[in-house]
CSV table of all heavy atoms in Angstrom, one decimal:
chain,number,residue,atom,x,y,z
G,54,ASN,N,19.6,-0.7,4.8
G,54,ASN,CA,20.4,-1.6,3.8
G,54,ASN,C,21.5,-2.3,4.6
G,54,ASN,O,22.3,-1.7,5.1
G,54,ASN,CB,21.0,-0.7,2.7
G,54,ASN,CG,21.6,-1.5,1.6
G,54,ASN,OD1,22.1,-2.6,1.8
G,54,ASN,ND2,21.6,-1.0,0.4
G,55,PRO,N,21.4,-3.7,4.5
G,55,PRO,CA,22.4,-4.4,5.3
G,55,PRO,C,23.9,-4.2,4.9
G,55,PRO,O,24.8,-4.4,5.6
G,55,PRO,CB,22.0,-5.9,5.1
G,55,PRO,CG,21.1,-5.9,3.9
G,55,PRO,CD,20.5,-4.5,3.9
G,56,GLN,N,24.0,-3.7,3.6
G,56,GLN,CA,25.4,-3.4,3.1
G,56,GLN,C,25.9,-2.2,3.8
G,56,GLN,O,27.1,-2.1,3.9
G,56,GLN,CB,25.4,-3.3,1.6
G,56,GLN,CG,25.3,-4.5,0.8
G,56,GLN,CD,25.3,-4.3,-0.7
G,56,GLN,OE1,24.8,-3.3,-1.2
G,56,GLN,NE2,25.9,-5.3,-1.4
G,57,ASN,N,25.1,-1.4,4.3
G,57,ASN,CA,25.5,-0.1,5.0
G,57,ASN,C,25.6,-0.3,6.5
G,57,ASN,O,26.3,0.5,7.1
G,57,ASN,CB,24.5,1.0,4.7
G,57,ASN,CG,24.4,1.4,3.2
G,57,ASN,OD1,25.3,1.1,2.5
G,57,ASN,ND2,23.3,1.9,2.8
G,58,THR,N,25.0,-1.4,7.0
G,58,THR,CA,24.9,-1.5,8.5
G,58,THR,C,25.7,-2.7,9.0
G,58,THR,O,25.9,-2.9,10.2
G,58,THR,CB,23.5,-1.6,9.0
G,58,THR,OG1,22.8,-2.7,8.3
G,58,THR,CG2,22.7,-0.3,8.6
G,59,ALA,N,26.0,-3.7,8.1
G,59,ALA,CA,26.6,-4.9,8.6
G,59,ALA,C,28.0,-4.7,9.1
G,59,ALA,O,28.9,-4.2,8.4
G,59,ALA,CB,26.7,-5.9,7.4
G,60,GLN,N,28.2,-5.0,10.4
G,60,GLN,CA,29.5,-4.9,11.0
G,60,GLN,C,29.8,-6.1,11.9
G,60,GLN,O,28.9,-6.7,12.4
G,60,GLN,CB,29.6,-3.6,11.9
G,60,GLN,CG,29.6,-2.3,11.1
G,60,GLN,CD,29.9,-1.1,12.0
G,60,GLN,OE1,29.5,-1.2,13.2
G,60,GLN,NE2,30.4,-0.1,11.5
G,61,THR,N,31.1,-6.4,12.0
G,61,THR,CA,31.5,-7.5,12.9
G,61,THR,C,31.7,-6.9,14.3
G,61,THR,O,31.6,-5.7,14.5
G,61,THR,CB,32.8,-8.2,12.4
G,61,THR,OG1,33.8,-7.1,12.3
G,61,THR,CG2,32.6,-8.8,11.0
G,65,SER,N,34.6,-3.8,12.1
G,65,SER,CA,34.9,-3.8,10.7
G,65,SER,C,33.6,-4.3,9.9
G,65,SER,O,32.8,-5.0,10.5
G,65,SER,CB,36.1,-4.7,10.4
G,65,SER,OG,35.8,-6.0,10.7
G,66,HIS,N,33.6,-3.9,8.7
G,66,HIS,CA,32.4,-4.2,7.9
G,66,HIS,C,32.5,-5.6,7.3
G,66,HIS,O,33.6,-6.0,6.9
G,66,HIS,CB,32.2,-3.2,6.7
G,66,HIS,CG,31.7,-1.9,7.1
G,66,HIS,ND1,30.3,-1.7,7.2
G,66,HIS,CD2,32.3,-0.8,7.6
G,66,HIS,CE1,30.1,-0.4,7.6
G,66,HIS,NE2,31.3,0.1,7.8
G,67,CYS,N,31.4,-6.4,7.4
G,67,CYS,CA,31.4,-7.7,6.8
G,67,CYS,C,30.7,-7.7,5.5
G,67,CYS,O,29.8,-6.9,5.3
G,67,CYS,CB,30.8,-8.8,7.8
G,67,CYS,SG,29.1,-8.4,8.3
G,68,HIS,N,31.1,-8.6,4.6
G,68,HIS,CA,30.5,-8.5,3.2
G,68,HIS,C,29.1,-9.1,3.2
G,68,HIS,O,28.9,-10.2,3.8
G,68,HIS,CB,31.4,-9.3,2.3
G,68,HIS,CG,30.9,-9.3,0.9
G,68,HIS,ND1,30.9,-8.2,0.1
G,68,HIS,CD2,30.4,-10.4,0.2
G,68,HIS,CE1,30.4,-8.6,-1.1
G,68,HIS,NE2,30.1,-9.8,-1.1
G,69,VAL,N,28.2,-8.4,2.5
G,69,VAL,CA,26.9,-8.9,2.3
G,69,VAL,C,26.7,-8.9,0.8
G,69,VAL,O,26.9,-7.9,0.1
G,69,VAL,CB,25.8,-8.0,3.0
G,69,VAL,CG1,24.4,-8.6,2.7
G,69,VAL,CG2,26.1,-7.9,4.5
G,70,SER,N,26.4,-10.0,0.2
G,70,SER,CA,26.3,-10.1,-1.3
G,70,SER,C,25.1,-9.4,-1.8
G,70,SER,O,24.1,-9.2,-1.1
G,70,SER,CB,26.2,-11.6,-1.7
G,70,SER,OG,24.9,-12.2,-1.3
G,71,ASP,N,25.1,-9.1,-3.1
G,71,ASP,CA,24.0,-8.4,-3.7
G,71,ASP,C,22.7,-9.2,-3.7
G,71,ASP,O,21.6,-8.7,-3.6
G,71,ASP,CB,24.4,-8.0,-5.2
G,71,ASP,CG,25.4,-6.9,-5.3
G,71,ASP,OD1,25.6,-6.2,-4.3
G,71,ASP,OD2,26.0,-6.8,-6.3
G,72,VAL,N,22.9,-10.6,-3.8
G,72,VAL,CA,21.8,-11.5,-3.8
G,72,VAL,C,21.1,-11.4,-2.4
G,72,VAL,O,19.9,-11.4,-2.3
G,72,VAL,CB,22.2,-12.9,-4.1
G,72,VAL,CG1,21.0,-13.9,-3.9
G,72,VAL,CG2,22.7,-13.0,-5.6
G,73,GLU,N,21.9,-11.5,-1.4
G,73,GLU,CA,21.4,-11.4,0.0
G,73,GLU,C,20.6,-10.0,0.3
G,73,GLU,O,19.6,-10.0,0.9
G,73,GLU,CB,22.5,-11.5,1.0
G,73,GLU,CG,23.0,-13.0,1.1
G,73,GLU,CD,24.2,-13.1,2.0
G,73,GLU,OE1,25.2,-12.2,1.9
G,73,GLU,OE2,24.2,-13.9,2.9
G,74,VAL,N,21.2,-9.0,-0.3
G,74,VAL,CA,20.6,-7.7,-0.1
G,74,VAL,C,19.3,-7.6,-0.8
G,74,VAL,O,18.3,-7.1,-0.2
G,74,VAL,CB,21.6,-6.5,-0.7
G,74,VAL,CG1,20.8,-5.2,-0.7
G,74,VAL,CG2,22.8,-6.4,0.2
G,214,ASP,N,19.1,-13.1,10.4
G,214,ASP,CA,19.5,-11.7,10.1
G,214,ASP,C,18.6,-11.0,9.2
G,214,ASP,O,18.7,-9.8,9.1
G,214,ASP,CB,20.9,-11.8,9.4
G,214,ASP,CG,22.0,-12.3,10.3
G,214,ASP,OD1,21.8,-12.1,11.6
G,214,ASP,OD2,23.0,-12.8,9.9
G,215,HIS,N,17.6,-11.7,8.6
G,215,HIS,CA,16.7,-11.1,7.7
G,215,HIS,C,15.3,-10.9,8.2
G,215,HIS,O,14.4,-10.6,7.5
G,215,HIS,CB,16.7,-11.9,6.3
G,215,HIS,CG,17.9,-11.8,5.6
G,215,HIS,ND1,18.1,-12.5,4.4
G,215,HIS,CD2,19.1,-11.1,5.8
G,215,HIS,CE1,19.3,-12.3,3.9
G,215,HIS,NE2,19.9,-11.5,4.7
Side-chain angles (χ1 to χ4, degrees):
N54 186 329
Q56 285 182 326
N57 300 333
T58 58
Q60 289 186 336
T61 58
S65 61
H66 284 271
C67 57
H68 178 70
V69 183
S70 72
D71 290 342
V72 172
E73 289 175 308
V74 170
D214 292 335
H215 290 178

